[in-house]
Amino acid sequence: MSAGIEEVSATNNAAAGSSNGFNKKRRASQSSLPGAEVKKQKKPKKPRYPSLSYVPKNVKVKLHVRDLRDLVLYTVADGRAPTWLAIENRTSIKHLVTVMVPSLYPSDFGLKDTSQFQPVPYHLEDDTELTFFKSKFDHIWPVMAPGTVAALHSPFDDFVEVPLSKEEKKARAQQQKAQKNKKLDPIDCILDLVQMANNNYPIHPLTDKLPPDHITELLPGWVDTAASESKNSKRKVFGLDCEMCEAASGKVVTRITLVSNHDRKTIYDELVKPEEPIIDYLTRYSGITEEMLKDVTKNLAEAQEELLKLISANDILVGHSLESDLNVLKIRHPLVIDTALLYGAKDTRWKPALRNITQRFVGREIQTGKNGHNSEEDAIACLDLLNLKLLHGLDYGVKNDTKNIAERLATSAQGKRTTAVIDYNTNRWVSTPATLVSCKSDDEIVEKASKLCKTVHFTWTKLAEVNSIRHTPTFGKAGEAQPEGDNSEATQQEKLKAAFKNLNTRLERLYESLPNQTLLVVWTGHGNQKRMRELHTKKRNFQLEYNTKKWNEVTSSWTDKDNQELLRATVNARFGAAFIALKSERPTDSSQPATTDTSAEASGDQEAQETETKQDNEK
């Protein structure tokens, strides 16, 4: 009986085992059916490190400063990919830091051929202080600063000003059209507090939006225009221009002209006798001569009193670079219109000459005489330019087709990209969304940048010690014995050597502070401007003599040989350099030159990485 039971049990157990095996196969077959959910164990993703590659021989044209700007936009935002540099796993780059080092020349690294446009390896001398560049960068990239065949333009402007997109241009054109249909008032053209501060205007206590704790007391000899006592008084608009001469302390006013915009009548035109001796009448500019001031007795204090009877703080003063006039007049006024800014490019230090914009927009020649400027003529020209603005709109006569790079990054299609600016002067960035830090030394700049670069996408910095040393005047002429002292040629070379050493230390400190996956760009901005500036001065002196003297009295000269030398010197001045390196978790931090086409290499690397990941998952 028991044997039979054991046998049946064994049979049943065998059947059950067979059934279990069948069910396992059944479940396995069901799991392979379409739509069946299968939980797979997730493997951790391999980190995808960024890398740089380039083929020097494939760089067909010389880089410009704007190419460095576009590299910033591509790396941390949504700009176009550069054709001269391949970045694999670009989105893994979290930060980008630029360091501008003005007056660091390509020749300091052995690059003297200004026709060179491809990145080249450089070999520094063993005793050089710039060892940081040797350890972190393989190549030097020639970069041309903006300009013409005979002039150098601002590398800073070329870097920070980004052209508008087609959509942005269209939107701005519609905005301009709407403004044109809107009737403007002169009050719409006055400078705001930031513009006045950025352009060295004396700040009146009644200036709009001036914080109470920023109101300063009048200095000795200064006066403020007073508010009108009558509430119903109509606001007046005056054109103001002064002629100045040179004294030991600087510019002093010698003629003051005030013109009413209402009827174009000159309501004040007086000569003023400075309290200190004049050392240069600047007649070719001012039109003032010693004979004209011989019998003048009116001093500045008397002129100030007379002007304050004509002008109230409610009135508007119009002039060209009017901060110069108000500073020599020692008058603070809250409502000013500056035609140099009204017709200047947006957010730039470049200011057009009054003569040029009057000829272009008003259609009238001014300052054509050989006896200097005429303050009445200049004041009327400023009023004419203002009235054209009121007629055609604020954007009339202004090249307004760019935006600051910080604004561009903040409106990126990939989301807001943040910017930090650490510099000696951050006034140019005031109206942007960037975090601004003003510093007083290169060491402070490196200290602040080392902290902020970890918290923002793009960091702008500038180190200025090399520039300050190279722009310090030296005594003595070539071939003559140099005097002993702080400004001798030998001393300057020692200072420059020390500045290179300091630059090297600061860049090392900054690099060590950079987080991984950070792209570092060090650039010079421009090349050696010294000879170009000397030739421009020579040409300007000749033109002044030619325009103000009889031809047989001209002592200066300007020949075709000088002109050809100026062209060559300008090329040298525009010839700058850039250095690019990536700090990454990979063993090699700097960019590596490729031996094959960069696009193919990037594609091959991508496929290899995908295959490797697939094999890991299968295992």
mmCIF file of all heavy atoms in Angstrom, residues 245-276:
data_model
loop_
_atom_site.group_PDB
_atom_site.id
_atom_site.type_symbol
_atom_site.label_atom_id
_atom_site.label_comp_id
_atom_site.label_asym_id
_atom_site.label_seq_id
_atom_site.Cartn_x
_atom_site.Cartn_y
_atom_site.Cartn_z
ATOM 1 N N CYS A 245 40.660 126.510 -24.087
ATOM 2 C CA CYS A 245 42.101 126.602 -24.285
ATOM 3 C C CYS A 245 42.788 125.747 -23.233
ATOM 4 O O CYS A 245 42.136 125.227 -22.315
ATOM 5 C CB CYS A 245 42.570 128.059 -24.197
ATOM 6 S SG CYS A 245 41.861 129.133 -25.483
ATOM 7 N N GLU A 246 44.091 125.590 -23.382
ATOM 8 C CA GLU A 246 44.841 124.726 -22.480
ATOM 9 C C GLU A 246 45.593 125.552 -21.445
ATOM 10 O O GLU A 246 46.324 126.482 -21.777
ATOM 11 C CB GLU A 246 45.833 123.880 -23.282
ATOM 12 C CG GLU A 246 46.473 122.760 -22.501
ATOM 13 C CD GLU A 246 45.552 121.578 -22.334
ATOM 14 O OE1 GLU A 246 44.757 121.293 -23.248
ATOM 15 O OE2 GLU A 246 45.623 120.918 -21.273
ATOM 16 N N ALA A 247 45.390 125.192 -20.166
ATOM 17 C CA ALA A 247 46.149 125.765 -19.058
ATOM 18 C C ALA A 247 46.940 124.653 -18.383
ATOM 19 O O ALA A 247 46.826 123.484 -18.755
ATOM 20 C CB ALA A 247 45.210 126.447 -18.074
ATOM 21 N N ALA A 248 47.723 125.026 -17.380
ATOM 22 C CA ALA A 248 48.542 124.017 -16.701
ATOM 23 C C ALA A 248 47.688 122.946 -16.048
ATOM 24 O O ALA A 248 48.074 121.773 -16.000
ATOM 25 C CB ALA A 248 49.429 124.694 -15.664
ATOM 26 N N SER A 249 46.496 123.306 -15.576
ATOM 27 C CA SER A 249 45.618 122.347 -14.893
ATOM 28 C C SER A 249 44.751 121.550 -15.855
ATOM 29 O O SER A 249 44.065 120.622 -15.448
ATOM 30 C CB SER A 249 44.715 123.091 -13.903
ATOM 31 O OG SER A 249 43.863 123.997 -14.599
ATOM 32 N N GLY A 250 44.741 121.925 -17.133
ATOM 33 C CA GLY A 250 43.898 121.253 -18.114
ATOM 34 C C GLY A 250 43.109 122.254 -18.941
ATOM 35 O O GLY A 250 43.489 123.431 -19.068
ATOM 36 N N LYS A 251 41.977 121.800 -19.501
ATOM 37 C CA LYS A 251 41.148 122.670 -20.336
ATOM 38 C C LYS A 251 40.447 123.736 -19.487
ATOM 39 O O LYS A 251 39.958 123.450 -18.394
ATOM 40 C CB LYS A 251 40.094 121.838 -21.075
ATOM 41 C CG LYS A 251 40.673 120.847 -22.075
ATOM 42 C CD LYS A 251 41.235 121.553 -23.300
ATOM 43 C CE LYS A 251 41.553 120.585 -24.431
ATOM 44 N NZ LYS A 251 42.500 119.537 -24.075
ATOM 45 N N VAL A 252 40.377 124.971 -20.029
ATOM 46 C CA VAL A 252 39.651 126.075 -19.386
ATOM 47 C C VAL A 252 38.747 126.720 -20.432
ATOM 48 O O VAL A 252 39.086 126.793 -21.614
ATOM 49 C CB VAL A 252 40.618 127.119 -18.789
ATOM 50 C CG1 VAL A 252 41.335 126.563 -17.565
ATOM 51 C CG2 VAL A 252 41.620 127.600 -19.829
ATOM 52 N N VAL A 253 37.593 127.185 -20.015
ATOM 53 C CA VAL A 253 36.633 127.775 -20.937
ATOM 54 C C VAL A 253 37.038 129.206 -21.278
ATOM 55 O O VAL A 253 37.454 129.979 -20.408
ATOM 56 C CB VAL A 253 35.205 127.726 -20.339
ATOM 57 C CG1 VAL A 253 35.114 128.541 -19.065
ATOM 58 C CG2 VAL A 253 34.171 128.186 -21.362
ATOM 59 N N THR A 254 36.902 129.544 -22.559
ATOM 60 C CA THR A 254 37.240 130.899 -23.005
ATOM 61 C C THR A 254 36.103 131.545 -23.815
ATOM 62 O O THR A 254 36.113 132.749 -24.038
ATOM 63 C CB THR A 254 38.509 130.899 -23.863
ATOM 64 O OG1 THR A 254 38.401 129.892 -24.873
ATOM 65 C CG2 THR A 254 39.742 130.620 -23.006
ATOM 66 N N ARG A 255 35.131 130.743 -24.233
ATOM 67 C CA ARG A 255 33.961 131.300 -24.930
ATOM 68 C C ARG A 255 32.754 130.425 -24.632
ATOM 69 O O ARG A 255 32.855 129.194 -24.654
ATOM 70 C CB ARG A 255 34.189 131.367 -26.448
ATOM 71 C CG ARG A 255 33.011 131.976 -27.214
ATOM 72 C CD ARG A 255 33.243 131.966 -28.712
ATOM 73 N NE ARG A 255 32.076 132.477 -29.442
ATOM 74 C CZ ARG A 255 31.964 132.476 -30.777
ATOM 75 N NH1 ARG A 255 32.940 131.995 -31.532
ATOM 76 N NH2 ARG A 255 30.872 132.956 -31.346
ATOM 77 N N ILE A 256 31.599 131.071 -24.364
ATOM 78 C CA ILE A 256 30.362 130.352 -24.039
ATOM 79 C C ILE A 256 29.262 130.858 -24.957
ATOM 80 O O ILE A 256 29.047 132.066 -25.060
ATOM 81 C CB ILE A 256 29.954 130.586 -22.571
ATOM 82 C CG1 ILE A 256 31.109 130.260 -21.622
ATOM 83 C CG2 ILE A 256 28.723 129.748 -22.227
ATOM 84 C CD1 ILE A 256 30.873 130.716 -20.195
ATOM 85 N N THR A 257 28.564 129.927 -25.598
ATOM 86 C CA THR A 257 27.468 130.295 -26.500
ATOM 87 C C THR A 257 26.218 129.510 -26.150
ATOM 88 O O THR A 257 26.278 128.286 -25.986
ATOM 89 C CB THR A 257 27.848 130.035 -27.966
ATOM 90 O OG1 THR A 257 29.055 130.729 -28.274
ATOM 91 C CG2 THR A 257 26.743 130.496 -28.903
ATOM 92 N N LEU A 258 25.084 130.205 -26.064
ATOM 93 C CA LEU A 258 23.786 129.591 -25.766
ATOM 94 C C LEU A 258 22.788 130.037 -26.819
ATOM 95 O O LEU A 258 22.598 131.238 -27.036
ATOM 96 C CB LEU A 258 23.311 130.021 -24.365
ATOM 97 C CG LEU A 258 22.172 129.221 -23.735
ATOM 98 C CD1 LEU A 258 22.626 127.803 -23.406
ATOM 99 C CD2 LEU A 258 21.667 129.915 -22.472
ATOM 100 N N VAL A 259 22.150 129.055 -27.491
ATOM 101 C CA VAL A 259 21.207 129.335 -28.579
ATOM 102 C C VAL A 259 19.851 128.744 -28.222
ATOM 103 O O VAL A 259 19.760 127.589 -27.789
ATOM 104 C CB VAL A 259 21.701 128.750 -29.916
ATOM 105 C CG1 VAL A 259 20.698 129.024 -31.037
ATOM 106 C CG2 VAL A 259 23.074 129.318 -30.277
ATOM 107 N N SER A 260 18.780 129.525 -28.419
ATOM 108 C CA SER A 260 17.428 129.056 -28.134
ATOM 109 C C SER A 260 16.909 128.212 -29.290
ATOM 110 O O SER A 260 17.043 128.599 -30.460
ATOM 111 C CB SER A 260 16.496 130.251 -27.907
ATOM 112 O OG SER A 260 15.150 129.818 -27.847
ATOM 113 N N ASN A 261 16.323 127.069 -28.984
ATOM 114 C CA ASN A 261 15.744 126.213 -30.016
ATOM 115 C C ASN A 261 14.431 126.779 -30.542
ATOM 116 O O ASN A 261 13.978 126.426 -31.629
ATOM 117 C CB ASN A 261 15.506 124.805 -29.462
ATOM 118 C CG ASN A 261 15.154 123.811 -30.550
ATOM 119 O OD1 ASN A 261 15.785 123.780 -31.604
ATOM 120 N ND2 ASN A 261 14.137 122.994 -30.299
ATOM 121 N N HIS A 262 13.814 127.662 -29.778
ATOM 122 C CA HIS A 262 12.498 128.213 -30.158
ATOM 123 C C HIS A 262 12.596 129.087 -31.403
ATOM 124 O O HIS A 262 11.827 128.914 -32.360
ATOM 125 C CB HIS A 262 11.919 129.020 -29.003
ATOM 126 C CG HIS A 262 10.649 129.725 -29.339
ATOM 127 N ND1 HIS A 262 9.489 129.046 -29.640
ATOM 128 C CD2 HIS A 262 10.355 131.051 -29.437
ATOM 129 C CE1 HIS A 262 8.526 129.916 -29.906
ATOM 130 N NE2 HIS A 262 9.034 131.140 -29.792
ATOM 131 N N ASP A 263 13.549 129.996 -31.413
ATOM 132 C CA ASP A 263 13.661 130.920 -32.547
ATOM 133 C C ASP A 263 15.063 130.953 -33.151
ATOM 134 O O ASP A 263 15.355 131.774 -34.005
ATOM 135 C CB ASP A 263 13.255 132.335 -32.118
ATOM 136 C CG ASP A 263 14.007 132.806 -30.886
ATOM 137 O OD1 ASP A 263 15.011 132.152 -30.525
ATOM 138 O OD2 ASP A 263 13.600 133.813 -30.283
ATOM 139 N N ARG A 264 15.939 130.076 -32.687
ATOM 140 C CA ARG A 264 17.316 129.972 -33.166
ATOM 141 C C ARG A 264 18.118 131.259 -32.944
ATOM 142 O O ARG A 264 19.093 131.518 -33.644
ATOM 143 C CB ARG A 264 17.358 129.598 -34.648
ATOM 144 C CG ARG A 264 16.771 128.229 -34.948
ATOM 145 C CD ARG A 264 17.432 127.168 -34.054
ATOM 146 N NE ARG A 264 16.857 125.883 -34.225
ATOM 147 C CZ ARG A 264 17.231 125.022 -35.165
ATOM 148 N NH1 ARG A 264 18.183 125.351 -35.992
ATOM 149 N NH2 ARG A 264 16.664 123.854 -35.247
ATOM 150 N N LYS A 265 17.741 132.012 -31.960
ATOM 151 C CA LYS A 265 18.485 133.230 -31.638
ATOM 152 C C LYS A 265 19.554 132.912 -30.595
ATOM 153 O O LYS A 265 19.318 132.144 -29.672
ATOM 154 C CB LYS A 265 17.550 134.316 -31.110
ATOM 155 C CG LYS A 265 16.642 134.918 -32.185
ATOM 156 C CD LYS A 265 15.823 136.076 -31.611
ATOM 157 C CE LYS A 265 14.937 136.713 -32.694
ATOM 158 N NZ LYS A 265 14.144 137.827 -32.157
ATOM 159 N N THR A 266 20.694 133.542 -30.786
ATOM 160 C CA THR A 266 21.773 133.384 -29.816
ATOM 161 C C THR A 266 21.515 134.341 -28.653
ATOM 162 O O THR A 266 21.540 135.562 -28.830
ATOM 163 C CB THR A 266 23.136 133.698 -30.461
ATOM 164 O OG1 THR A 266 23.335 132.812 -31.567
ATOM 165 C CG2 THR A 266 24.263 133.541 -29.466
ATOM 166 N N ILE A 267 21.229 133.796 -27.487
ATOM 167 C CA ILE A 267 20.859 134.634 -26.338
ATOM 168 C C ILE A 267 22.045 134.874 -25.399
ATOM 169 O O ILE A 267 21.948 135.701 -24.481
ATOM 170 C CB ILE A 267 19.695 134.000 -25.550
ATOM 171 C CG1 ILE A 267 20.096 132.607 -25.018
ATOM 172 C CG2 ILE A 267 18.450 133.910 -26.419
ATOM 173 C CD1 ILE A 267 19.036 131.981 -24.139
ATOM 174 N N TYR A 268 23.148 134.179 -25.641
ATOM 175 C CA TYR A 268 24.336 134.423 -24.823
ATOM 176 C C TYR A 268 25.563 133.995 -25.622
ATOM 177 O O TYR A 268 25.641 132.865 -26.122
ATOM 178 C CB TYR A 268 24.270 133.621 -23.522
ATOM 179 C CG TYR A 268 25.331 133.996 -22.500
ATOM 180 C CD1 TYR A 268 25.123 135.038 -21.608
ATOM 181 C CD2 TYR A 268 26.539 133.311 -22.434
ATOM 182 C CE1 TYR A 268 26.088 135.396 -20.669
ATOM 183 C CE2 TYR A 268 27.517 133.652 -21.511
ATOM 184 C CZ TYR A 268 27.286 134.690 -20.631
ATOM 185 O OH TYR A 268 28.237 135.062 -19.711
ATOM 186 N N ASP A 269 26.535 134.907 -25.748
ATOM 187 C CA ASP A 269 27.777 134.609 -26.464
ATOM 188 C C ASP A 269 28.864 135.508 -25.897
ATOM 189 O O ASP A 269 28.962 136.677 -26.267
ATOM 190 C CB ASP A 269 27.596 134.840 -27.961
ATOM 191 C CG ASP A 269 28.763 134.295 -28.778
ATOM 192 O OD1 ASP A 269 29.603 133.584 -28.199
ATOM 193 O OD2 ASP A 269 28.829 134.565 -29.996
ATOM 194 N N GLU A 270 29.652 134.956 -24.973
ATOM 195 C CA GLU A 270 30.611 135.778 -24.242
ATOM 196 C C GLU A 270 31.975 135.106 -24.175
ATOM 197 O O GLU A 270 32.081 133.876 -24.072
ATOM 198 C CB GLU A 270 30.117 136.020 -22.814
ATOM 199 C CG GLU A 270 28.839 136.846 -22.716
ATOM 200 C CD GLU A 270 29.056 138.309 -23.066
ATOM 201 O OE1 GLU A 270 30.213 138.780 -22.963
ATOM 202 O OE2 GLU A 270 28.069 138.973 -23.439
ATOM 203 N N LEU A 271 33.025 135.959 -24.219
ATOM 204 C CA LEU A 271 34.383 135.497 -23.972
ATOM 205 C C LEU A 271 34.647 135.531 -22.470
ATOM 206 O O LEU A 271 34.125 136.388 -21.758
ATOM 207 C CB LEU A 271 35.394 136.374 -24.706
ATOM 208 C CG LEU A 271 35.341 136.332 -26.244
ATOM 209 C CD1 LEU A 271 36.276 137.375 -26.827
ATOM 210 C CD2 LEU A 271 35.695 134.936 -26.752
ATOM 211 N N VAL A 272 35.467 134.598 -22.014
ATOM 212 C CA VAL A 272 35.752 134.479 -20.584
ATOM 213 C C VAL A 272 37.271 134.449 -20.381
ATOM 214 O O VAL A 272 37.989 133.752 -21.109
ATOM 215 C CB VAL A 272 35.124 133.197 -19.994
ATOM 216 C CG1 VAL A 272 35.467 133.070 -18.512
ATOM 217 C CG2 VAL A 272 33.613 133.211 -20.192
ATOM 218 N N LYS A 273 37.732 135.196 -19.391
ATOM 219 C CA LYS A 273 39.157 135.241 -19.069
ATOM 220 C C LYS A 273 39.452 134.207 -17.980
ATOM 221 O O LYS A 273 38.950 134.308 -16.861
ATOM 222 C CB LYS A 273 39.529 136.625 -18.553
ATOM 223 C CG LYS A 273 41.017 136.840 -18.340
ATOM 224 C CD LYS A 273 41.697 137.217 -19.636
ATOM 225 C CE LYS A 273 43.113 137.732 -19.368
ATOM 226 N NZ LYS A 273 43.761 138.183 -20.610
ATOM 227 N N PRO A 274 40.250 133.184 -18.284
ATOM 228 C CA PRO A 274 40.578 132.181 -17.249
ATOM 229 C C PRO A 274 41.395 132.806 -16.122
ATOM 230 O O PRO A 274 42.115 133.793 -16.321
ATOM 231 C CB PRO A 274 41.398 131.147 -18.014
ATOM 232 C CG PRO A 274 41.087 131.374 -19.453
ATOM 233 C CD PRO A 274 40.826 132.831 -19.590
ATOM 234 N N GLU A 275 41.288 132.214 -14.946
ATOM 235 C CA GLU A 275 42.017 132.723 -13.788
ATOM 236 C C GLU A 275 43.491 132.335 -13.835
ATOM 237 O O GLU A 275 44.318 132.979 -13.193
ATOM 238 C CB GLU A 275 41.385 132.188 -12.500
ATOM 239 C CG GLU A 275 39.978 132.702 -12.254
ATOM 240 C CD GLU A 275 39.393 132.170 -10.960
ATOM 241 O OE1 GLU A 275 40.069 131.349 -10.292
ATOM 242 O OE2 GLU A 275 38.274 132.580 -10.615
ATOM 243 N N GLU A 276 43.826 131.280 -14.581
ATOM 244 C CA GLU A 276 45.221 130.861 -14.677
ATOM 245 C C GLU A 276 45.751 131.114 -16.089
ATOM 246 O O GLU A 276 44.977 131.197 -17.051
ATOM 247 C CB GLU A 276 45.358 129.377 -14.317
ATOM 248 C CG GLU A 276 44.463 128.454 -15.100
ATOM 249 C CD GLU A 276 44.573 127.011 -14.639
ATOM 250 O OE1 GLU A 276 45.718 126.557 -14.408
ATOM 251 O OE2 GLU A 276 43.537 126.346 -14.511
#
